[in-house]
Amino acid sequence: MGLAVRKSRVHSHISIKKGICGGRSVVEGTRIPVWSIIKWYKLGMSLEEIMREFPQLNPAQVHDVFSYYYDNQEEIERDILENENEARFREASVE
């Protein structure tokens, strides 16, 4: 007798879709990029503060953001850097 194996996504709360947030990883069903939550955490925000600031996310989604980050650090660090560079460019063009 064979066992049925159900295939599941490793990060069920994270998606990447062309046309949403530049094709970057986001929390499924939102336009909240993974990199933005990680950046807030790196700036000193606790998990509890992040969940208060993003009330539309449940704890499983927030924890999956961190799990995804640890599995894909290079991608998320690149996204953070690209966003910082874009912000600097916008600031310079305003001055």
Side-chain angles (χ1 to χ4, degrees):
M1 181 178 216
L3 293 174
V5 178
R6 185 174 166 212
K7 200 173 186 180
S8 65
R9 291 182 7 206
V10 174
H11 300 285
S12 60
H13 298 290
I14 307 299
S15 66
I16 300 173
K17 295 181 182 161
K18 191 176 180 179
I20 297 180
C21 293
R24 292 187 169 112
S25 52
V26 298
V27 178
E28 179 75 34
T30 74
R31 297 180 72 82
I32 301 171
V34 169
W35 69 261
S36 68
I37 293 173
I38 297 301
K39 184 170 181 182
W40 282 116
Y41 182 76
K42 288 180 164 217
L43 289 172
M45 217 181 230
S46 70
L47 283 173
E48 292 78 16
E49 290 170 321
I50 290 169
M51 286 190 261
R52 262 195 311 274
E53 289 298 316
F54 295 92
Q56 65 273 45
L57 302 181
N58 65 49
Q61 290 171 307
V62 174
H63 285 281
D64 202 22
V65 163
F66 283 88
S67 176
Y68 183 86
Y69 169 69
Y70 289 117
D71 285 345
N72 301 279
Q73 278 185 297
E74 196 172 297
E75 169 199 337
I76 302 307
E77 291 297 334
R78 185 177 57 247
D79 288 349
I80 290 170
L81 184 61
E82 286 176 7
N83 183 265
E84 288 172 350
N85 290 339
E86 288 171 17
R88 282 190 202 111
F89 178 76
R90 275 186 251 125
E91 287 173 5
S93 62
V94 171
E95 294 174 357

